[in-house]
Amino acid sequence: MVEVKPLKIGDLTARVPVIQGGMGVGVSLSSLAGAVAAEGGIGVLSTAQIGYRESDFDTDPIGANLRAIGTEIGKARELAKGGILGVNIMVATRRYEDYVKAAVAAGIDLIISGAGLPMDLPKIVGEAKTKLLPIVSSVKSAQVIMRYWWKKYNRLPDAIVIEGPLAGGHLGFHKEQLDDIEGLHYDEEVRAIIALVNETAVEHGVKIPVIMAGGVYERADMEHYLELGASGVQMATRFVTTYECDADDAYKQAYINAKKDDIVIVQSPVGMPGRAILNPFMKKAKEGQIPHEKCHLCISTCKGADTPYCITDALINAVTGKVDDALLFCGANAYRATKLEHVRDILDDFKP
């Protein structure tokens, strides 16, 4: 039986070795992140269109988002009881640098960054104490980031998050790979990434914990990855069906109602494959373009007027409960949810 220990990232120690994955738009904000941090895990807010409830979001989405980053982190701090808080900021976010600076200015403990390689994150963060956790899905991407950061900035990641093919939302894999996940033999890739990170850490006399994300739903999943050499796990889908999750109850109910066959790989309008619940909206999207109006300046890869549908509108519909007109991102295990539960009860099951 593998020993479960607290998760140490530099001078931060999470009593429970679980990071709650960032979920946008608006699914993981101050309520969920604050609750997870208060119970000894690491609570994470997603900055993706975080200001969607601001009065000026339609006219100045980026201004609304940058303001909301500070507001939501402040609200999460009040709930966190001194616990650890992070933000997830996608590299593909327009004005990425400004989002990072806003989170650092608000005193966030750590930044998790994927959807592209965060090559210049150390430069943006500068001398701040904020811990940096890039997301990787392959040995090559881990190697590229560590070499580049060390050569250019004399810095290594404080921890690395491996996001596997069972994760929710946008995925760092090609559709052909996702059609044959067993054929990926991904545990072998996980072992290889961990070996590379450990070797680099020893070489530089530091500790770089590796956190596994994607398909983690219960303690047995965590123990499996700890046996492979991970120091902790990141888990998102399980936290959607909590009372504390910031999403509307109808969104949570969509997970509870979902069957295994309802969870499919979709092509996101911003050019990346993703995992979501098959619903009337996704069926309609397959038939042709869904009209949309003003651009909300979300992802740099979006093709504006030519995009099949507006991902911001679809994700705001999801979080506000208009689930039949929404993109319902989820992880591969969303169908396992059968009821609402409290964050505390989940984390109790993952404690050392």
Side-chain angles (χ1 to χ4, degrees):
M1 183 120 165
V2 65
E3 185 184 359
V4 179
K5 302 175 185 172
L7 173 59
K8 294 186 178 182
I9 303 173
D11 57 0
L12 300 174
T13 301
R15 298 193 313 274
V16 186
V18 171
I19 298 177
Q20 161 253 312
M23 295 172 281
V25 168
V27 178
S28 65
L29 295 180
S30 53
S31 175
L32 178 57
V36 171
E39 295 301 332
I42 297 177
V44 177
L45 303 96
S46 167
T47 65
Q49 304 295 47
I50 190 171
Y52 79 95
R53 294 177 294 195
E54 298 288 305
S55 60
D56 59 346
F57 178 72
D58 283 336
T59 55
D60 181 17
I62 289 176
N65 288 337
L66 295 177
R67 185 169 62 250
I69 286 171
T71 306
E72 285 293 324
I73 290 172
K75 284 159 65 176
R77 278 270 174 245
E78 290 175 16
L79 299 169
K81 299 177 182 171
I84 304 167
L85 291 172
V87 288
N88 181 295
I89 309 178
M90 294 185 291
V91 177
T93 304
R94 293 186 203 218
R95 304 260 302 267
Y96 172 73
E97 187 169 326
D98 292 332
Y99 283 68
V100 170
K101 286 178 177 175
V104 171
I108 201 67
D109 298 316
L110 55 87
I111 294 172
I112 298 168
S113 198
L117 296 182
M119 303 303 281
D120 296 316
L121 188 55
K123 179 176 78 173
I124 304 167
V125 171
E127 298 300 312
K129 290 183 176 179
T130 314
K131 306 290 187 284
L132 308 183
L133 286 69
I135 297 174
V136 305
S137 293
S138 67
V139 169
K140 185 179 178 183
S141 53
Q143 191 170 52
V144 166
I145 284 179
M146 289 192 295
R147 281 183 178 172
Y148 186 85
W149 281 19
W150 184 255
K151 186 178 178 182
K152 192 96 186 271
Y153 303 115
N154 198 35
R155 175 158 188 179
L156 291 167
D158 297 289
I160 281 183
V161 177
I162 303 174
E163 189 172 89
L166 298 177
H170 290 123
L171 301 165
F173 296 86
H174 298 298
K175 182 154 191 324
E176 303 74 51
Q177 294 175 304
L178 296 167
D179 288 338
D180 181 23
I181 290 174
E182 281 186 23
L184 284 174
H185 301 293
Y186 199 67
D187 276 3
E188 292 173 21
E189 191 76 14
V190 172
R191 282 193 188 94
I193 296 171
I194 292 171
L196 171 71
V197 174
N198 289 346
E199 188 182 304
T200 305
V202 168
E203 190 182 318
H204 293 280
V206 294
K207 291 197 183 301
I208 308 175
V210 176
I211 293 106
M212 183 64 202
V216 179
Y217 198 82
E218 60 186 10
R219 187 184 179 97
D221 302 321
M222 175 181 72
E223 290 179 350
H224 170 71
Y225 289 117
L226 295 182
E227 282 177 340
L228 296 186
S231 297
V233 292
Q234 178 176 286
M235 182 168 69
T237 293
R238 179 77 185 272
F239 287 114
V240 169
T241 49
T242 58
Y243 293 101
E244 295 86 355
C245 176
D246 296 86
D248 187 271
D249 283 348
Y251 182 83
K252 302 174 188 182
Q253 194 61 43
Y255 275 44
I256 292 168
N257 293 345
K259 305 287 186 286
K260 192 172 186 178
D261 292 345
D262 296 329
I263 298 168
V264 295
I265 300 299
V266 300
Q267 188 62 29
S268 157
V270 296
M272 293 178 261
R275 182 173 277 107
I277 294 172
L278 186 62
N279 66 344
F281 179 82
M282 291 316 303
K283 291 173 184 172
K284 190 175 169 186
K286 280 184 179 178
E287 293 166 9
Q289 190 181 45
I290 296 173
H292 48 91
E293 296 176 10
K294 195 174 173 67
C295 177
H296 301 291
L297 304 176
C298 62
I299 301 293
S300 57
T301 54
C302 180
K303 293 186 169 51
D306 296 329
T307 192
Y309 59 88
C310 173
I311 193 168
T312 289
D313 289 344
L315 291 174
I316 289 175
N317 283 346
V319 75
T320 54
K322 299 170 191 160
V323 293
D324 287 342
D325 294 309
L327 170 56
L328 302 172
F329 273 151
C330 68
N333 286 313
Y335 72 93
R336 292 172 66 179
T338 57
K339 65 182 190 303
L340 289 178
E341 49 191 340
H342 285 288
V343 163
R344 173 178 290 175
D345 295 330
I346 293 172
L347 289 179
D348 275 351
D349 193 38
F350 286 80
K351 280 181 179 174

